[in-house]
Amino acid sequence: LPLVLAALALSISFRADAAASTGRAGLVSLSLHGGAAQPLGTAWVKERTKLGPNYGGAVHFGLSDHFEAELSFDSVRMYKTRHVRIDTAMASLAHYYDLGGRLSPAMRLGVGPAVVHNARPDGVPNHNTFAARVGGGADYRWTDRISTGLWADYLLAARSVRKTPEVHAVTFGLSVRWTGGEIQPRTRKSTAKAEAPADDSEPGQPE
């Protein structure tokens, strides 16, 4: 959280450029996020967990002016009588609604592998599974490089075998993003010879 606040303060210190809607196609960006996670779901989850911290990072790539692909890692920690933690690595697709200014609301959907850790096993072991999330938020662009956002997601970590529970949680928090340059597609080297210039001279005139 201190890192997030420091990055936010740094972004405010930059001079904001004129507001304009810019496309996302081909842009690569990195983000860090932190916040909290409220556990939901089965009685096993409610008895052993409570509101805890959630943090992670992501790499984003613009597929078009409104769609982004995202690869992210999150660690969701929910403490109570047991230490339950979910680590996820997700691939997500986000759709942004550019409003013509600095604010861009979005929705996203992601899936990927997850590890559910139970620090004090009581018949429920640590297990590998798959997780999914669906949520939304909004990014605010301070400069062409720096933006911040507020996001909330519903997270589901599925059970792997009968004795392992499903773990549900609502995660929410603040993100800070740095956007780099555009990845340009490679251009093929032309092997064709340059065409000779057209001869505009009239017959009988010296070249």
Side-chain angles (χ1 to χ4, degrees):
L1 186 57
L3 179 62
V4 171
L5 295 177
L8 178 60
L10 180 63
S11 69
I12 296 175
S13 67
F14 285 99
R15 180 183 62 83
D17 299 326
S21 177
T22 58
R24 301 173 181 273
L27 293 179
V28 176
S29 55
L30 305 175
S31 66
L32 296 174
H33 50 267
Q38 175 61 51
L40 302 170
T42 64
W44 183 91
V45 174
K46 294 177 180 178
E47 290 172 0
R48 292 162 175 77
T49 61
K50 65 178 182 179
L51 183 71
N54 166 49
Y55 54 84
V59 178
H60 312 259
F61 178 72
L63 300 174
S64 70
D65 288 346
H66 297 283
F67 283 93
E68 275 190 358
E70 175 184 329
L71 294 176
S72 62
F73 171 80
D74 290 270
S75 185
V76 181
R77 298 166 180 259
M78 300 174 289
Y79 308 95
K80 197 173 184 180
T81 57
R82 300 288 188 272
H83 179 173
V84 177
R85 185 177 89 243
I86 308 172
D87 293 334
T88 65
M90 288 199 180
S92 302
L93 180 66
H95 182 265
Y96 283 82
Y97 302 88
D98 290 324
L99 303 180
R102 299 186 180 277
L103 186 66
S104 298
M107 298 182 64
R108 67 183 177 188
L109 174 67
V111 294
V115 181
V116 178
H117 299 270
N118 184 13
R120 301 177 183 175
D122 52 352
V124 177
N126 300 338
H127 57 280
N128 301 322
T129 183
F130 279 92
R133 73 175 179 188
V134 59
D139 283 340
Y140 186 85
R141 181 172 54 86
W142 298 94
T143 72
D144 288 343
R145 299 289 188 188
I146 302 294
S147 61
T148 56
L150 291 172
W151 289 86
D153 293 283
Y154 188 89
L155 174 68
L156 165 64
R159 66 174 65 193
S160 58
V161 294
R162 179 173 297 181
K163 63 181 179 179
T164 60
E166 289 184 350
V167 181
H168 302 246
V170 173
T171 64
F172 49 91
L174 172 69
S175 68
V176 177
R177 179 191 291 207
W178 177 84
T179 300
E182 182 178 0
I183 294 181
Q184 299 290 346
R186 291 186 179 181
T187 57
R188 293 193 227 169
K189 294 182 179 179
S190 177
T191 57
K193 294 182 179 179
E195 296 182 3
D199 186 4
D200 296 332
S201 62
E202 295 182 3
Q205 290 184 349
E207 294 182 1

